[in-house]
Amino acid sequence: MNENADQSRPWLRTVSEDCPVDPPQQSWIEASMTWFAGEFGREPLLGGIVLPGPNLRSGYTGTPRQIERLIAGVCTVMSIDRSSLTVEYFDIREEDAPESRKGGRAVGHYFVRDGRPVIGLDVSEASDADYLTAIIAHELCHVRLLGERRITGERRDHERLTDLLTVYFGFGIFSTNAALRYGETARGFSVEPLGYLDERMLNAARNDGYSRVGYLTEPEFGYAMACYAWLREEADPAWAARLDPGPRVHLKQGLAYLARCARRGELPTIRSDGVSIAVQVRRPDGRRLPFPVFTRSARPPAAPAQ
């Protein structure tokens, strides 16, 4: 009998305690999360991660009224006045669907018209509430970043920062799961783009079952989710089960790394200016969203100090 058999069984594999991303990506994620706290306050952390409410699991078919309630719900979470926003709809399958600057068909876009923010949403798969939520969240994060002039489009990482901001505002489950998505098309299975992503972003073959899209990689999304949980002092969040298996592994690895290297509620990276990246959070205040589209998880009580 092989005495080491148990050690070789993959289902008994322990979670690595190494950071799931390289040091440059780690520093960028942690510094960006800290910058978000300074720009948007701690409320997005205090409110808890956004989860699909019962209305997204029963009776949702993607009607115009339901889509509008979805938009209003995301606006509420992100503290955006819905009445200040113009929303345009298009179908990516139609010939006159909007195109990106590189010629690829986009499933979402943001721009300003006559001083008013405009977002465009592809409704070809509006019946998929989770996917549409991810698109809406991405485009509304453009409103909070570009529309409020917190950054400019000249910033090289502005699209990656937009993806990361969806995590900070609690929509990480939606955006992370949507970043790698199977969809059946005439050419077989492929992934539909997210946010202002277009077909040129696809970097895997169309005939191998899936393609990868997005500005953040799967490990980056997983580690960003780990940082989000760690700042909320969630060492083993129940909502991790809502993530797809791949990013869930990176989330758990990221939390194991943070437990080994960081103080509770703080991030370990030291920036070049010598300022420690740390965000102190308090318990959520129990506020409820005015729309039943989403629910939010509560942060478990902090363990007593040892």
Side-chain angles (χ1 to χ4, degrees), residues 20 33 35 114 116-117 174 198 201 241 255 268:
M33 295 289 277
W35 184 78
D114 298 327
R116 185 179 176 88
F174 296 93
D198 55 53
M201 296 296 295
L255 285 172

Side-chain angles (χ1 to χ4, degrees), residues 57 111 118 120 254 299:
R57 290 292 177 261
F111 60 93
V118 179
R299 181 165 67 89

Side-chain angles (χ1 to χ4, degrees), residues 25-79:
Q25 287 73 39
Q26 176 191 353
S27 297
W28 178 82
I29 290 171
E30 294 178 9
S32 298
M33 295 289 277
T34 301
W35 184 78
F36 292 156
E39 287 290 311
F40 303 105
R42 303 190 192 101
E43 286 72 16
L45 286 170
L46 306 182
I49 200 162
V50 180
L51 304 173
N55 287 359
L56 292 191
R57 290 292 177 261
S58 176
Y60 179 88
T61 58
T63 66
R65 179 181 177 85
Q66 290 171 331
I67 294 173
E68 176 54 39
R69 286 180 64 81
L70 202 60
I71 296 169
V74 180
C75 282
T76 299
V77 175
M78 292 194 179
S79 301

